[in-house]
Amino acid sequence: NAGVTQTPKFQVLKTGQSMTLQCAQDMNHEYMSWYRQDPGMGLRLIHYSVGAGITDQGEVPNGYNVSRSTTEDFPLRLLSAAPSQTSVYFCASSYSYSPLNTGELFFGEGSRLTVL
Amino acid sequence: GEDVEQSLFLSVREGDSSVINCTYTDSSSTYLYWYKQEPGAGLQLLTYIFSNMDMKQDQRLTVLLNKKDKHLSLRIADTQTGDSAIYFCAEKFGNNNDMRFGAGTRLTVKP
């Protein structure tokens, strides 16, 4: 099973450039989310989605856009990259409505982004 | 503020017990979690505890929950070098599966 797949694993951008981090899951999970991980700060929620066509903001949404056109895919777009967006980005998914839903998140391996 | 707090570093000798502590924020959290992150990898769920439980044991892992003090701990018995990783405490908040994570405790196991 592939689980949650993120691409690219590494990316270097210049300030002002735009890019899209891709995330796909093959577990038919309704819920998908993006986190960023910074040293000493743990993971912070950027955006999340509870199903196709539905997205909402998390704790740190500024500078990022998302869309959810299918259940499987949840891309994260950086519109105009800034050095403050240098981070490791994780996509995660889970069931939303299963009776056994414990909220367990399944994570991708991460995308390390450097903005110069 | 709304922070999940945990110490950043813990070092133990192989064979000893490790105890990682965490304080969380939301008394209405239904589930509390421990995730493990190995180098270069994403987080994986290690264990979780439902909020109406005080303790949960799973092989070498023991989770203790003190709801009054909003304190969660993870004990790893007979710690092995393969347990070296970053351990994140997390609480579920809101109506979805949004998680609030601590900063992570880096456990180093010395032979």
Side-chain angles (χ1 to χ4, degrees):
Chain A
N1 287 339
V4 179
T5 303
Q6 288 183 235
T7 56
K9 290 195 186 320
F10 301 94
Q11 183 72 49
V12 179
L13 290 177
K14 293 181 180 178
T15 297
Q17 287 185 316
S18 62
M19 78 156 299
T20 300
L21 299 177
Q22 301 290 345
C23 175
Q25 52 91 9
D26 62 358
M27 296 173 282
N28 205 31
H29 285 164
E30 303 92 352
Y31 179 89
M32 295 185 75
S33 55
W34 278 101
Y35 287 85
R36 58 179 288 174
Q37 182 182 25
D38 300 295
M41 299 186 73
L43 280 77
R44 292 180 291 169
L45 182 64
I46 304 172
H47 284 285
Y48 66 94
S49 168
V50 297
I54 306 169
T55 63
D56 208 344
Q57 297 180 349
E59 182 186 1
V60 288
N62 292 341
Y64 307 95
N65 273 359
V66 292
S67 59
R68 184 96 179 268
S69 56
T70 67
T71 299
E72 294 78 19
D73 300 300
F74 191 45
L76 178 72
R77 296 183 189 85
L78 282 71
L79 306 172
S80 178
S84 62
Q85 293 178 304
T86 294
S87 187
V88 180
Y89 291 85
F90 287 99
C91 179
S93 70
S94 71
Y95 292 109
S96 285
Y97 305 115
S98 163
L100 299 178
N101 178 26
T102 60
E104 176 185 359
L105 289 175
F106 294 82
F107 282 84
E109 293 188 340
S111 298
R112 183 176 293 274
L113 176 66
T114 301
V115 183
L116 302 176
Chain B
E2 306 252 339
D3 283 333
V4 175
E5 295 186 350
Q6 49 182 132
S7 54
L8 295 181
F9 302 98
L10 177 65
S11 179
V12 300
R13 292 259 177 225
E14 192 173 19
D16 287 349
S17 292
S18 307
V19 179
I20 303 172
N21 294 301
C22 167
T23 54
Y24 61 97
T25 62
D26 189 347
S27 58
S28 65
S29 293
T30 50
Y31 289 96
L32 295 142
Y33 308 85
W34 286 103
Y35 281 82
K36 178 181 180 182
Q37 183 182 32
E38 298 188 356
L43 282 69
Q44 282 193 306
L45 183 68
L46 195 61
T47 187
Y48 68 91
I49 188 166
F50 191 52
S51 58
N52 67 353
M53 299 169 64
D54 298 325
M55 183 179 86
K56 179 180 181 182
Q57 190 147 2
D58 184 2
Q59 299 182 333
R60 293 191 296 120
L61 306 178
T62 303
V63 178
L64 296 178
L65 175 60
N66 181 329
K67 286 193 70 176
K68 174 177 169 289
D69 295 336
K70 296 182 193 169
H71 184 266
L72 184 73
S73 68
L74 173 70
R75 178 177 181 269
I76 306 173
D78 187 26
T79 313
Q80 303 297 306
T81 54
D83 295 323
S84 293
I86 302 176
Y87 292 81
F88 290 90
C89 170
E91 61 177 348
K92 183 177 169 181
F93 68 96
N95 296 322
N96 302 305
N97 287 343
D98 305 335
M99 297 281 183
R100 190 176 289 122
F101 287 86
T105 299
R106 183 180 296 273
L107 173 64
T108 302
V109 183
K110 298 179 180 178

